[in-house]
Amino acid sequence: MEGLTSEEVRQEMRDGHVNNVEEKTGRTYADIFAKNTFTPYNIILFALGAMLLLFGNILSAISATGIIAINILISTFQEMRAKRRLDKIALLTRPKATVLRDGGEKEIQPTEIVRNDVIVLRAGDQALVDGEVLECSSLEIDESLLTGESSSVRKETGDRIFSGSVCIAGEGYYRVTAFGEDSYASKILRSAKKMTSKRTPLQMETSSITSILMGIAVILMLISVVCEILIRDNSWEHTLEIFVICLDVVPIALFLLITLTYMVSAVRMANSGALLQRANSVESLSHVDTVCMDKTGTITTNRLRFESAHYFMDKDKADRLASIFAASTGSKNKTVGVLSEKFGETPCELLEEVQFTSKRKYSAVRVSDGGRETSLYMGAWNVIGPHCAGSEGISAMIREESGKGLRTVVICEGHGPLSEGGEPRIPDLTPVMMVSMRDEIRANCRETIQVFLDNGMDLKVISGDDPATVDAMFSLAGIPGERKLITGAELDAMPGPERDRAILESNIFGRMKPDDKEYVISSLKRNGRYVAMIGDGVNDVRSIKAAQVGVSLESGSNAAKGVSDMILVGDDFSSLPKALVEGRKTVSSMRDILRLYLTRNFALALMFFIIYMALGTIPMKPIQNTFYAFISVSILAFFMILFSRPDVNKNLILPDVLKFALPSSIIIVAFGLLAYAVTWTEVGNGHVVPDFGWMASAGGFGSAEEAIEYLSWSGSGIEEICARSNLVLFVTLAGLGQIMMITPYFRFMSIDGKTNRSLVPWVILGLIALMLAVAYAFFPWVMIRIVNLVIFEPKVYAWLGVLLVVWFVVERALLRHGFLSGISSWFEKRYIRKLEREYAKEDSGDE
């Protein structure tokens, strides 16, 4: 078999017959910019900003579009940066193809495959393009990813190979006939409706609450249009300013923030050795409470070495038979490698072969050795032992070896054909020898598993080996905890409910076939577990695909990597618990961000409705609303992931968030309105007299009257200007102060008894407070001219400080006692119904 020559390859490329369809690793740079910029919400705000600019209201125009523009720039930059980093790492794990060119094997990128290339297919390889078999030996293909059928398909010369199928046994050469859009897999996708990116539960939750708040914003806008244009006959300029306030009720920046947070977390995970194939898998990782894994690559390094041999016939004859088997079998796995290294290879004429698969648990060859035909079998004793006479002593020996943590295989001799009616058969056998091998235990295995246990995760080892071997390895590695062992055969013998109960209670599963592994994963999911499955071989593909989070090793088969959500770069098992903890931390930070965001959004809607309906004015100008959002939410949101706890996230996030946000917003508004009313009254009675003359000088105005006119809204008086200033300052500081309840350092600050011993939020609070103090003391023009706030004498701020302390004590006490739980529950029920419609819409989109 020669394959194409270099000149033939160049000619195919010149003719355009090349597999140049790049696998997308994510959105393009243009997509990132366009989707972050041209959202319906952004377009509306930019249009409002443009209209305000036409009216000459530059400050309100900037406030309408400034935060959105900053969000777009930061999010786009960070997402592009993250994409560039992830794409570079993804190149390391991208599957390659082995082709025959110029008479030799060559490894190339999938995009370098040309028509008529001859591709080499061996056990563990995934077919990347379609083709026709030219030559093969015991070639078995798993097409379940395409057809859903679990049984493997034997291939012969002339049969078709489909892209996406997986070689599970044997080897072969096939000629490329189709790729890209013409491949079988692509035609299947084209026959279905257009695929869409599946949203995560948090993205659907955010979408549902955003639509509710959008409805509230539309109602407030309709009220303002009726009042401003039809009743009060005010200008469109003031109405547009009101629209800016109303639209800010919608937390649209959350979508950008979620995407950005996921991308940043994905990069952090990749830097620690865990490459996410989809950035939003971060959220799935946060829900994992059960980790299933094969011992290979996790507990052990999969580097086998010969330990001992137990002979059941003459030693020289047994050694020769072992060397014949090692030379003749096409199943060149690590076990056969140990045989070749120990016993050498004695070439013979191969007459027939059955290659190893995880489902069969054995391999066999029929050879002619000097004119004498013999059949040799090697595999697990529980499979070939029943076909051997007088096997009781061997079973005891294997139990003893397994108790030492050793892997064992038995070589047996038989006669006659290896298959009957096209199906493999095992005749009566004579034991030849038992070979014991030791698998090297990972140095950091104990510490890695301890991280799982410390974070409350349930570990289950699902292996094809004897469960006693796995148990002994746990002991050798010094892994603590009680271990309950069970085999695949014992599970198969149990009725359904008893089997599910045994799966939940057991943590070491031995002698498991691929179907058994998949059933264990499905059973755990049915019983409410959120499962991560770690595997590396073809036998793990279906169980990896069945798990909520599939994890493969970089050295694993292309098929395993192709269906996994995460790849452990460098086979570094210790990076997985770090990634799981990072996922929990990320989603916990999103929950805390949502508490801040939604509290502010509900508070803004409530303040607007009460003040606008009662007094005909607005609670804050657009620029003051920007100040409120930036200080109370935006700064903290970008740092939240640094100090969030890696909590378990089993349930929906937003119902828990609403139980905090709704009562908090009502309490903040109540105290804010108190500050508003007291300030209005005190200024009106002359007890508080702001120095507008000094403010005019500090703010660069020509007179006190000019300063008052600038600070007013729609000709409002001094009382309204001062009341609005204190309202804005109070709700801003209260929103900022909520971080002390969300991430409490001391228990007396906590509403649920939990604490967060990180000093980062306190440092951020201190820096923001210092920044505000410096602005008031040394740059008053910033607060007056830009933020439109009144500068009061110190006693007013002392009074506001006391009010903030009272607010904190009252809110903490009321939240501890479930204040307004009835309203929260009512809103939560309506929200859940809305969310169910979101899920139904998502499910219908997948059909």
Side-chain angles (χ1 to χ4, degrees), residues 189-229:
L189 290 178
R190 284 204 303 272
S191 67
K193 63 183 181 180
K194 185 179 179 182
M195 293 178 63
T196 57
S197 178
K198 189 173 180 65
R199 294 181 298 169
T200 67
L202 180 56
Q203 288 170 327
M204 284 187 280
E205 288 184 69
T206 305
S207 176
S208 65
I209 197 66
T210 299
S211 64
I212 290 173
L213 287 169
M214 179 66 83
I216 294 174
V218 169
I219 292 172
L220 295 177
M221 289 168 68
L222 291 174
I223 291 173
S224 66
V225 168
V226 171
C227 293
E228 293 298 311
I229 304 299

Side-chain angles (χ1 to χ4, degrees), residues 124-356:
D125 291 342
Q126 186 170 31
L128 303 177
V129 293
D130 292 0
E132 179 184 345
V133 177
L134 299 177
E135 184 181 306
C136 65
S137 173
S138 303
L139 185 63
E140 291 187 46
I141 300 294
D142 181 356
E143 298 177 347
S144 61
L145 296 178
L146 299 173
T147 65
E149 296 293 333
S150 60
S151 301
S152 61
V153 180
R154 291 292 293 266
K155 296 289 183 178
E156 304 293 342
T157 301
D159 288 344
R160 291 183 66 188
I161 298 291
F162 300 115
S163 56
S165 58
V166 179
C167 177
I168 62 172
E171 63 179 82
Y173 301 89
Y174 75 96
R175 180 176 58 83
V176 176
T177 58
F179 40 61
E181 296 299 316
D182 296 325
S183 68
Y184 178 77
S186 294
K187 290 177 181 177
I188 290 176
L189 290 178
R190 284 204 303 272
S191 67
K193 63 183 181 180
K194 185 179 179 182
M195 293 178 63
T196 57
S197 178
K198 189 173 180 65
R199 294 181 298 169
T200 67
L202 180 56
Q203 288 170 327
M204 284 187 280
E205 288 184 69
T206 305
S207 176
S208 65
I209 197 66
T210 299
S211 64
I212 290 173
L213 287 169
M214 179 66 83
I216 294 174
V218 169
I219 292 172
L220 295 177
M221 289 168 68
L222 291 174
I223 291 173
S224 66
V225 168
V226 171
C227 293
E228 293 298 311
I229 304 299
L230 301 181
I231 298 176
R232 298 171 186 156
D233 195 26
N234 280 335
S235 68
W236 272 105
E237 179 183 351
H238 288 98
T239 306
L240 291 175
E241 287 187 312
I242 293 173
F243 282 3
V244 173
I245 300 295
C246 293
L247 283 172
D248 206 49
V249 168
V250 183
I252 201 67
L254 279 176
F255 292 107
L256 292 176
L257 191 59
I258 289 172
T259 301
L260 176 61
T261 303
Y262 285 170
M263 292 294 289
V264 171
S265 295
V267 171
R268 289 171 60 170
M269 291 182 190
N271 289 335
S272 66
L275 174 62
L276 294 182
Q277 309 247 55
R278 288 167 288 278
N280 59 15
S281 296
V282 171
E283 184 181 333
S284 299
L285 286 169
S286 74
H287 297 294
V288 170
D289 55 23
T290 304
V291 179
C292 297
M293 57 189 181
D294 194 345
K295 71 174 180 60
T296 303
T298 53
I299 301 173
T300 65
T301 62
N302 200 25
R303 289 195 285 268
L304 298 178
R305 62 180 178 83
F306 177 82
E307 184 72 15
S308 63
H310 299 266
Y311 295 94
F312 308 118
M313 62 169 56
D314 178 72
K315 179 180 181 300
D316 292 338
K317 181 181 179 182
D319 287 349
R320 177 178 172 79
L321 291 177
S323 68
I324 289 174
F325 183 89
S328 304
T329 183
S331 301
K332 301 297 185 183
N333 51 36
K334 293 185 183 296
T335 301
V336 174
V338 170
L339 295 184
S340 298
E341 184 179 342
K342 176 63 179 177
F343 303 105
E345 295 186 1
T346 302
C348 287
E349 180 186 356
L350 179 65
L351 303 176
E352 188 182 0
E353 180 182 16
V354 172
Q355 291 206 8
F356 178 86

Side-chain angles (χ1 to χ4, degrees), residues 316-573:
D316 292 338
K317 181 181 179 182
D319 287 349
R320 177 178 172 79
L321 291 177
S323 68
I324 289 174
F325 183 89
S328 304
T329 183
S331 301
K332 301 297 185 183
N333 51 36
K334 293 185 183 296
T335 301
V336 174
V338 170
L339 295 184
S340 298
E341 184 179 342
K342 176 63 179 177
F343 303 105
E345 295 186 1
T346 302
C348 287
E349 180 186 356
L350 179 65
L351 303 176
E352 188 182 0
E353 180 182 16
V354 172
Q355 291 206 8
F356 178 86
T357 67
S358 297
K359 193 169 186 177
R360 266 196 294 272
K361 298 290 186 184
Y362 77 90
S363 56
V365 295
R366 185 163 63 89
V367 297
S368 175
D369 179 21
R372 174 179 174 271
E373 285 191 14
T374 186
S375 298
L376 297 174
Y377 288 74
M378 183 182 78
W381 181 246
N382 66 307
V383 174
I384 61 178
H387 302 274
C388 297
S391 60
E392 294 79 7
I394 299 177
S395 298
M397 292 169 60
I398 288 177
R399 285 194 296 271
E400 182 180 349
E401 296 295 276
S402 297
K404 300 175 185 176
L406 301 176
R407 294 174 66 173
T408 57
V409 292
V410 178
I411 300 175
C412 298
E413 186 178 21
H415 299 282
L418 306 182
S419 58
E420 187 175 350
E423 292 296 322
R425 62 179 283 272
I426 302 178
D428 292 336
L429 300 174
T430 302
V432 174
M433 71 165 68
M434 180 185 75
V435 179
S436 299
M437 293 160 284
R438 187 174 297 280
D439 201 346
E440 183 182 81
I441 296 174
R442 282 188 176 272
N444 59 355
C445 172
R446 186 182 187 282
E447 292 76 12
T448 301
I449 288 179
Q450 191 62 50
V451 176
F452 287 123
L453 300 177
D454 290 344
N455 283 274
M457 298 181 195
D458 189 12
L459 257 65
K460 297 183 183 294
V461 178
I462 308 176
S463 175
D465 291 333
D466 191 314
T469 301
V470 181
D471 181 42
M473 284 188 166
F474 265 62
S475 299
L476 291 171
I479 299 171
E482 181 184 0
R483 297 188 281 275
K484 294 186 177 180
L485 285 61
I486 197 167
T487 66
E490 290 170 339
L491 282 176
D492 290 341
M494 296 178 180
E498 185 180 342
R499 190 188 322 180
D500 288 345
R501 187 166 56 252
I503 288 171
L504 288 172
E505 294 173 353
S506 303
N507 51 19
I508 294 180
F509 300 80
R511 300 301 184 197
M512 300 289 283
K513 298 177 181 179
D515 292 349
D516 298 328
K517 293 185 178 183
E518 184 181 19
Y519 184 88
V520 167
I521 301 297
S522 300
S523 174
L524 291 169
K525 288 166 61 180
R526 283 197 306 272
N527 284 277
R529 298 293 186 91
Y530 209 95
V531 185
M533 172 65 195
I534 313 166
D536 63 345
V538 177
N539 58 315
D540 299 317
V541 168
R542 290 170 61 187
S543 53
I544 290 174
K545 197 168 184 292
Q548 282 105 334
V549 178
V551 184
S552 65
L553 305 180
E554 184 184 359
S555 66
S557 68
N558 289 339
K561 290 187 286 189
V563 299
S564 63
D565 300 294
M566 174 193 291
I567 297 174
L568 300 183
V569 180
D571 296 352
D572 185 5
F573 177 52

Side-chain angles (χ1 to χ4, degrees), residues 584-609:
R584 288 185 173 186
K585 186 177 180 181
T586 300
V587 175
S588 293
S589 72
M590 287 306 308
R591 181 190 58 223
D592 294 341
I593 290 170
L594 281 166
R595 284 174 171 170
L596 288 176
Y597 255 98
L598 294 183
T599 298
R600 179 193 163 272
N601 290 107
F602 284 124
L604 181 62
L606 193 56
M607 282 188 292
F608 179 90
F609 182 78

Side-chain angles (χ1 to χ4, degrees), residues 664-676:
S664 294
S665 62
I666 292 173
I667 297 167
I668 287 175
V669 170
F671 276 86
L673 291 177
L674 176 61
Y676 186 89

Side-chain angles (χ1 to χ4, degrees), residues 764-813:
I764 296 172
L765 285 176
L767 290 175
I768 294 174
L770 179 62
M771 179 182 69
L772 291 175
V774 169
Y776 270 99
F778 300 103
F779 304 98
W781 63 269
V782 173
M783 308 309 294
I784 299 168
R785 191 89 192 189
I786 297 179
V787 189
N788 287 196
L789 292 179
V790 174
I791 305 294
F792 294 99
E793 54 187 333
K795 69 176 184 180
V796 175
Y797 297 117
W799 174 77
L800 275 180
V802 172
L803 189 63
L804 280 167
V805 172
V806 175
W807 156 79
F808 184 89
V809 173
V810 170
E811 179 168 326
R812 186 208 58 180

